[in-house]
Amino acid sequence: MSPRRSAADARQTRAAILARGVAIASVEGLEGLTIGRLADELTMSKSGVLGQFGSKQGLQLAVVDAAAAQFAEEVPDRTRDAAPGLPRLLALCEAWVSYVEREVFPGGCFFAAASGEFDDRTGPVRGAITGLITVWQRDLRQNVRIAIAAGDLPADTDADQIVFELTGQMLALNHAFRLHRDRSAPDRTRLAMGRLLGHPLPAAALQRV
Amino acid sequence: MSPRRSAADARQTRAAILARGVAIASVEGLEGLTIGRLADELTMSKSGVLGQFGSKQGLQLAVVDAAAAQFAEEVPDRTRDAAPGLPRLLALCEAWVSYVEREVFPGGCFFAAASGEFDDRTGPVRGAITGLITVWQRDLRQNVRIAIAAGDLPADTDADQIVFELTGQMLALNHAFRLHRDRSAPDRTRLAMGRLLGHPLPAAALQRV
DNA sequence: CCTACCGATCGGTAGG
DNA sequence: CCTACCGATCGGTAGG
């Protein structure tokens, strides 16, 4: 096997770097993710890692995109069976709670951690993080609006307010689960979200017994 | 003026280091706070900074304590006039919203940032952060219980659940205010907290005009 | 994707 | 609280 690899090999290498990078960054942060450590853990040279992304910022942007793809698989993609509006909203909330409970990322919600780390900075990495979170919240809001139009939420509901409060319960769960290792936090979150939406979360009853 | 300073001078130097340290750490994080940068900004030598704390971890612990003292001044100390129970609870919530709105720390809530940074680690710094947050949440819970006993909250209220949900709204505010620069977030938080407690926050009406 | 470097900066120490 | 260091590690480059 020659040291010069094919394009397919390069793609595989890139995927392996990103998988490790996402896991490390969810724990150590996107700044704490270093090229040297990544190279060490993958038994590669630093320049081999860096060559794929050009710079640390390029690596960070690729890691954010890879985390977004994984999040999409683990949360919204699991709600495809639920109809738009209240059913989808409840499914998205339950999928989010489950995503934290299952510890999809070893350091908890990747985007909660990344937004806390980059909220005081400027530049493309912050932009990528805020863009992805904005899209996620727009998806929630859209389903709130459909639920209102369908009569499944009160007509005077403020969609932005509901999304704001749901976001708070998501952050509370990540906080309590990671910092206090509070195992009752997922059910507390389900309860709070169910009250906000006037309906219990779909899987909560099953998981409670 | 000789290079050998008195104990009073040393105390002043220490206070100056901690004031800068808290501000830097609220933006860059407790790991991103470096001895070299601190020395630079204070036109001191690195060893002059390090000598006060022994190690970077000693500096981090002192910075956490200094931030806790400032938080105590800016939030709970401002609610001394409110009677224990629901009045104090409403005052604590309003003081917290105001603390974020006034940007007491340049990087937003110091403890929201620090707990996100250290939630996956072990050691005394994590311990100090969790300890302070636990005390703060115990204070909230205690006032919820007094409010229940006084009949100001329903008798079947779950105090831990209320504290959990209030914490979520605090985190939602910090998140929206820092990441999205959403200026409507403070009033959204007031609204959510007021609903949770069944009473509007004390200063909200005045500030709304 | 590798070896062999680069200057800058990290936390920390010796000794005054 | 200073100067003068230390080894380790940072992101990144040259050249193959």
Side-chain angles (χ1 to χ4, degrees), chain A residues 34-35 46 50 55-56:
Chain A
T34 69
I35 295 157
K46 289 200 317 177
L50 200 53
S55 67
K56 175 153 187 185

Short mmCIF file of all heavy atoms in Angstrom, two decimals, chain A residues 34-35 46 50 55-56, chain D residues 10-14 16:
data_model
loop_
_atom_site.label_atom_id
_atom_site.label_comp_id
_atom_site.label_asym_id
_atom_site.label_seq_id
_atom_site.Cartn_x
_atom_site.Cartn_y
_atom_site.Cartn_z
N THR A 34 -7.63 20.02 19.50
CA THR A 34 -6.36 20.40 18.87
C THR A 34 -5.98 19.39 17.80
O THR A 34 -6.34 18.21 17.86
CB THR A 34 -5.21 20.49 19.90
OG1 THR A 34 -4.90 19.18 20.38
CG2 THR A 34 -5.57 21.41 21.05
N ILE A 35 -5.27 19.92 16.81
CA ILE A 35 -4.85 19.10 15.68
C ILE A 35 -3.90 17.99 16.15
O ILE A 35 -3.97 16.86 15.68
CB ILE A 35 -4.18 20.00 14.61
CG1 ILE A 35 -5.23 20.98 14.05
CG2 ILE A 35 -3.58 19.18 13.50
CD1 ILE A 35 -4.64 22.23 13.44
N LYS A 46 0.27 15.32 12.27
CA LYS A 46 -0.52 16.56 12.36
C LYS A 46 -0.81 17.13 10.97
O LYS A 46 -1.92 17.58 10.69
CB LYS A 46 0.25 17.62 13.17
CG LYS A 46 0.34 17.32 14.65
CD LYS A 46 0.65 18.57 15.48
CE LYS A 46 1.70 19.45 14.86
NZ LYS A 46 1.92 20.68 15.67
N LEU A 50 -4.25 18.25 9.16
CA LEU A 50 -4.42 19.64 8.73
C LEU A 50 -4.64 19.74 7.22
O LEU A 50 -5.39 20.61 6.77
CB LEU A 50 -3.18 20.44 9.15
CG LEU A 50 -3.34 21.95 9.22
CD1 LEU A 50 -4.51 22.36 10.11
CD2 LEU A 50 -2.05 22.58 9.73
N SER A 55 -6.81 24.62 7.76
CA SER A 55 -6.51 25.40 8.97
C SER A 55 -7.38 24.87 10.11
O SER A 55 -8.31 24.09 9.88
CB SER A 55 -6.81 26.88 8.74
OG SER A 55 -8.21 27.05 8.57
N LYS A 56 -7.08 25.33 11.31
CA LYS A 56 -7.91 24.92 12.44
C LYS A 56 -9.35 25.37 12.25
O LYS A 56 -10.28 24.64 12.56
CB LYS A 56 -7.35 25.48 13.74
CG LYS A 56 -8.26 25.17 14.92
CD LYS A 56 -7.57 25.09 16.24
CE LYS A 56 -8.53 24.63 17.31
NZ LYS A 56 -7.95 24.64 18.65
P DC D 10 -1.28 20.22 21.63
OP1 DC D 10 -2.61 19.84 22.13
OP2 DC D 10 -0.52 19.32 20.73
"O5'" DC D 10 -1.40 21.63 20.90
"C5'" DC D 10 -1.87 22.75 21.67
"C4'" DC D 10 -1.63 24.05 20.92
"O4'" DC D 10 -0.25 24.42 21.03
"C3'" DC D 10 -1.87 23.97 19.43
"O3'" DC D 10 -3.25 24.16 19.17
"C2'" DC D 10 -1.04 25.15 18.93
"C1'" DC D 10 0.13 25.17 19.89
N1 DC D 10 1.41 24.58 19.39
C2 DC D 10 2.34 25.41 18.75
O2 DC D 10 2.06 26.61 18.58
N3 DC D 10 3.51 24.89 18.34
C4 DC D 10 3.77 23.59 18.55
N4 DC D 10 4.96 23.11 18.15
C5 DC D 10 2.82 22.72 19.19
C6 DC D 10 1.66 23.26 19.58
P DG D 11 -3.87 23.59 17.81
OP1 DG D 11 -5.35 23.69 17.95
OP2 DG D 11 -3.23 22.31 17.48
"O5'" DG D 11 -3.39 24.66 16.72
"C5'" DG D 11 -3.82 26.01 16.83
"C4'" DG D 11 -3.15 26.82 15.74
"O4'" DG D 11 -1.72 26.68 15.85
"C3'" DG D 11 -3.51 26.36 14.32
"O3'" DG D 11 -3.66 27.51 13.48
"C2'" DG D 11 -2.32 25.49 13.93
"C1'" DG D 11 -1.16 26.18 14.65
N9 DG D 11 -0.08 25.25 14.98
C8 DG D 11 -0.21 24.01 15.55
N7 DG D 11 0.93 23.39 15.70
C5 DG D 11 1.86 24.26 15.20
C6 DG D 11 3.29 24.12 15.09
O6 DG D 11 4.00 23.18 15.43
N1 DG D 11 3.88 25.26 14.51
C2 DG D 11 3.18 26.38 14.10
N2 DG D 11 3.90 27.36 13.57
N3 DG D 11 1.86 26.51 14.20
C4 DG D 11 1.27 25.42 14.76
P DG D 12 -4.07 27.33 11.92
OP1 DG D 12 -4.67 28.59 11.46
OP2 DG D 12 -4.80 26.05 11.75
"O5'" DG D 12 -2.65 27.19 11.22
"C5'" DG D 12 -1.72 28.26 11.35
"C4'" DG D 12 -0.42 27.90 10.68
"O4'" DG D 12 0.27 26.88 11.44
"C3'" DG D 12 -0.58 27.33 9.26
"O3'" DG D 12 0.07 28.22 8.35
"C2'" DG D 12 0.11 25.98 9.33
"C1'" DG D 12 1.04 26.12 10.54
N9 DG D 12 1.39 24.84 11.13
C8 DG D 12 0.54 23.89 11.68
N7 DG D 12 1.16 22.83 12.11
C5 DG D 12 2.50 23.07 11.84
C6 DG D 12 3.65 22.28 12.09
O6 DG D 12 3.71 21.16 12.61
N1 DG D 12 4.82 22.91 11.66
C2 DG D 12 4.87 24.15 11.06
N2 DG D 12 6.07 24.59 10.70
N3 DG D 12 3.80 24.91 10.83
C4 DG D 12 2.65 24.31 11.24
P DT D 13 0.06 27.98 6.77
OP1 DT D 13 -0.17 29.30 6.17
OP2 DT D 13 -0.79 26.83 6.44
"O5'" DT D 13 1.58 27.56 6.48
"C5'" DT D 13 2.65 28.37 6.99
"C4'" DT D 13 3.97 27.79 6.54
"O4'" DT D 13 4.25 26.59 7.30
"C3'" DT D 13 4.01 27.39 5.07
"O3'" DT D 13 5.21 27.90 4.49
"C2'" DT D 13 3.98 25.86 5.09
"C1'" DT D 13 4.68 25.55 6.42
N1 DT D 13 4.31 24.27 7.07
C2 DT D 13 5.32 23.41 7.45
O2 DT D 13 6.50 23.63 7.26
N3 DT D 13 4.89 22.27 8.06
C4 DT D 13 3.58 21.90 8.33
O4 DT D 13 3.32 20.83 8.89
C5 DT D 13 2.58 22.86 7.90
C7 DT D 13 1.14 22.55 8.14
C6 DT D 13 2.98 23.98 7.29
P DA D 14 5.46 27.78 2.91
OP1 DA D 14 5.99 29.10 2.46
OP2 DA D 14 4.26 27.20 2.27
"O5'" DA D 14 6.64 26.70 2.82
"C5'" DA D 14 7.68 26.71 3.80
"C4'" DA D 14 8.73 25.66 3.42
"O4'" DA D 14 8.41 24.42 4.08
"C3'" DA D 14 8.80 25.34 1.93
"O3'" DA D 14 10.16 25.07 1.59
"C2'" DA D 14 7.94 24.08 1.80
"C1'" DA D 14 8.19 23.39 3.13
N9 DA D 14 7.06 22.60 3.65
C8 DA D 14 5.73 22.90 3.58
N7 DA D 14 4.96 22.01 4.15
C5 DA D 14 5.85 21.06 4.64
C6 DA D 14 5.66 19.87 5.35
N6 DA D 14 4.47 19.41 5.72
N1 DA D 14 6.76 19.14 5.68
C2 DA D 14 7.97 19.60 5.32
N3 DA D 14 8.28 20.71 4.64
C4 DA D 14 7.16 21.40 4.33
P DG D 16 11.49 18.98 -2.87
OP1 DG D 16 12.91 19.09 -3.24
OP2 DG D 16 10.45 19.63 -3.70
"O5'" DG D 16 11.13 17.43 -2.76
"C5'" DG D 16 11.62 16.66 -1.66
"C4'" DG D 16 10.57 15.66 -1.28
"O4'" DG D 16 9.36 16.31 -0.85
"C3'" DG D 16 10.12 14.74 -2.43
"O3'" DG D 16 10.56 13.41 -2.18
"C2'" DG D 16 8.61 14.81 -2.41
"C1'" DG D 16 8.32 15.39 -1.04
N9 DG D 16 7.03 16.08 -0.96
C8 DG D 16 6.67 17.28 -1.55
N7 DG D 16 5.44 17.62 -1.31
C5 DG D 16 4.95 16.59 -0.50
C6 DG D 16 3.68 16.42 0.08
O6 DG D 16 2.69 17.14 0.01
N1 DG D 16 3.63 15.23 0.84
C2 DG D 16 4.65 14.34 0.98
N2 DG D 16 4.41 13.27 1.73
N3 DG D 16 5.85 14.50 0.45
C4 DG D 16 5.93 15.65 -0.28
#
